[in-house]
Each structure stands twice: as C-alpha cells, then as structure tokens.
Amino acid sequence: MSRIYISGAITGTEDFRERFLKAEKELIATGHDTVNPARLNDIMPKDATYGEYMKMSFELLSMCDTIYMLKGWEESKGANREYGFAVARGIKILMEESA
C-alpha cells in the first residue's frame, strides 16, 4: 500500500475541494492511504501566506512515497513545485490520466 499525496491546482480555482476529494475517495477505494493538501485550508490560519501553505505541503509530501498529479496540474505554480520536489526526492509519480 502506498501513501499518496494528491497534487493539483488550488489557487484560482473554485472546485478544488471537489476534485481533490474525488481523487482521495478513488485512491482510498483502491487500498491506498492518502494525503489531501486541499484540507489544509480548513486548519491553516486565515492570514497564512502562500509560502506557509507550500511549506506545509512539502512537509506532507515528504511523508509520502507517491504523488498523484491531477489533470491540469501543469497550470499550477504550486503543483509544479511539488512535482519538482517529488522528482528530486525520487517519489513515484502517477498522473490522473494514466492512474
């Protein structure tokens, strides 16, 4: 069983919670443990900066062995940074289209 971090566009999108939750449910249904960073919005301080969100995201990603890139991730600055982090750390990369 893998621990999978879900990555995709959040900033500037209105449906991120739904997209991340759908992926989370699908991955759990196939026997994986998931980390859904979209849930950070529920626990971070209201005045948290983008940098603080990314710091938390990298911490969560470092606890995973796989990253799951949602469709459209290429358009997200944060998801691109998470992808690069995963490449640098040797974390397995799955794409929504091919998973």
Side-chain angles (χ1 to χ4, degrees):
M1 178 171 81
S2 297
R3 183 183 294 161
I4 301 178
Y5 179 92
I6 303 166
S7 179
I10 292 179
T11 303
T13 67
E14 294 184 17
D15 67 341
F16 71 91
R17 290 181 194 276
E18 294 83 8
R19 289 183 295 108
F20 277 71
L21 184 58
K22 179 180 182 266
E24 180 180 23
K25 287 179 179 178
E26 290 172 359
L27 292 166
I28 289 171
T30 59
H32 300 287
D33 191 13
T34 61
V35 174
N36 180 348
R39 295 179 183 273
L40 280 176
N41 288 313
D42 298 330
I43 62 168
M44 293 288 283
K46 296 207 183 304
D47 64 345
T49 65
Y50 172 80
E52 290 169 327
Y53 274 98
M54 289 309 301
K55 182 178 179 180
M56 294 302 300
S57 295
F58 290 135
E59 279 298 317
L60 292 169
L61 178 51
S62 71
M63 297 171 17
C64 298
D65 54 37
T66 305
I67 188 170
Y68 184 75
M69 308 302 298
L70 296 175
K71 291 177 187 173
W73 70 270
E74 302 91 342
E75 304 302 319
S76 167
K77 177 182 168 184
N80 271 278
R81 291 178 66 192
E82 291 166 345
Y83 178 86
F85 183 92
V87 168
R89 297 275 177 112
I91 294 171
K92 181 178 178 181
I93 299 168
L94 298 176
M95 300 290 173
E96 184 174 24
E97 296 83 4
S98 63

